[in-house]
Amino acid sequence: MSHWPEHLKSQTTHARRGGIRHAFTYGVDFVLIDPESRDGPALFARNGAGIYSAQDRHHGGAPGKGRGVAWAREVLAERGLTDARILLLTQPAFLGRVFNPVSFWLAFQGDDLVAVISEVTNTFGDRHSYLSAHPGFAAIRPQDVLEADKLMHVSPFQEIKGGYRFQFRITPDRIAIRIGHENGPEGVVATLTGARRPMTNATLLAAAIRRPLGTARTWLLIHWHAARLKLKGAVYRPRPDAPTQEVS
């Protein structure tokens, strides 16, 4: 049975620790979709033109060359998980424009979340994905912390050192995700929270009125806060080579 798309009127917070502190919170629209279904309201398109859309080519592989959920299933199968139900949590494209700093492939067995692939894309067009799972794909509980080494350049004001600490709270009515970059006294904590509700033409129209720039707004805000960090004296680090491995 397919999963009817959901629209999350979400909020994201980023807080930088260390000698130069900086924090911000803003609203952002995410969708939670069954990537193997074409169900949805008229204003939401799958692999086609629409006011809002989700395109397989934008996920699961290099940006613009993705293979969608087939890629996610291959990644999980290589690690021993072959029977999961998979949902995709992402910012939808708006009028064809897409930019997703992070999307999440959520893998379930029954009602239990058992794996998450965090698909991270930087403003330079690089992508690396981090797989979070317990041994044997035991259920991931809200209090669980799953760790991964940081391998890709994201913010030019943070080194590629230390690691990430992921926490996922996925309930029937709400999603809350926390990602902490730990690097000694320096680091960043990012959160995404939002209530789950069925996607409708009305919710999508309200989002278009509320945030008419769509994901372009996300791109602009990232550069705005980068400029503010530079003015605060943060050291800019040139972009290094992207990691050669696709998933870690």
Side-chain angles (χ1 to χ4, degrees):
M1 183 175 178
S2 64
H3 173 94
W4 183 264
E6 297 178 29
H7 179 199
L8 285 76
K9 183 182 175 183
S10 310
Q11 186 176 74
T12 184
T13 296
H14 289 236
R16 174 186 167 117
R17 303 191 310 270
I20 298 176
R21 295 178 176 268
H22 187 72
F24 59 86
T25 299
Y26 58 84
V28 62
D29 291 284
F30 269 71
V31 296
L32 181 67
I33 66 170
D34 179 344
E36 294 173 303
S37 171
R38 296 296 180 266
D39 290 341
L43 296 183
F44 181 73
R46 284 286 286 121
N47 295 322
I51 293 179
Y52 286 96
S53 64
Q55 314 285 340
D56 286 345
R57 69 178 185 274
H58 294 152
H59 302 283
K65 300 177 181 178
R67 295 189 292 115
V69 70
W71 173 90
R73 289 203 177 279
E74 287 179 11
V75 169
L76 295 172
E78 288 172 358
R79 291 155 177 82
L81 183 62
T82 59
D83 58 349
R85 176 173 62 94
I86 298 178
L87 299 179
L88 175 63
L89 179 65
T90 188
Q91 290 187 64
F94 180 65
L95 297 177
R97 168 85 184 194
V98 63
F99 174 64
N100 285 297
V102 60
S103 298
F104 303 93
W105 297 97
L106 308 176
F108 297 85
Q109 288 187 313
D111 293 330
D112 291 332
L113 179 71
V114 297
V116 180
I117 304 172
S118 301
E119 188 177 79
V120 181
T121 308
N122 63 25
T123 55
F124 306 101
D126 302 323
R127 175 172 289 172
H128 184 77
S129 295
Y130 298 89
L131 175 62
S132 300
H134 289 307
F137 292 101
I140 298 172
R141 304 303 181 191
Q143 67 271 21
D144 295 345
V145 177
L146 297 104
E147 300 183 349
D149 292 335
K150 180 179 179 179
L151 296 182
M152 190 180 76
H153 186 65
V154 179
S155 167
F157 302 104
Q158 292 286 328
E159 296 179 285
I160 309 179
K161 291 183 178 180
Y164 289 120
R165 293 168 59 87
F166 296 90
Q167 286 182 272
F168 304 97
R169 179 185 292 272
I170 313 294
T171 66
D173 60 349
R174 191 169 182 81
I175 286 177
I177 297 173
R178 183 184 189 276
I179 305 174
H181 172 215
E182 307 291 338
N183 184 23
E186 302 288 333
V188 175
V189 174
T191 65
L192 174 70
T193 58
R196 298 174 60 174
R197 57 179 179 172
M199 183 193 296
T200 66
N201 288 324
T203 66
L204 294 176
L205 281 173
I209 294 169
R210 184 171 60 246
R211 285 185 271 275
L213 294 178
T215 56
R217 175 175 172 270
T218 302
W219 189 89
L220 290 169
L221 283 168
I222 286 174
H223 287 81
W224 164 244
H225 287 289
R228 292 181 63 188
L229 278 168
K230 184 67 175 176
L231 289 173
K232 288 182 177 182
V235 176
Y236 183 92
R237 295 174 173 84
R239 171 196 180 193
D241 292 335
T244 55
Q245 65 187 106
E246 193 172 47
V247 182
S248 62

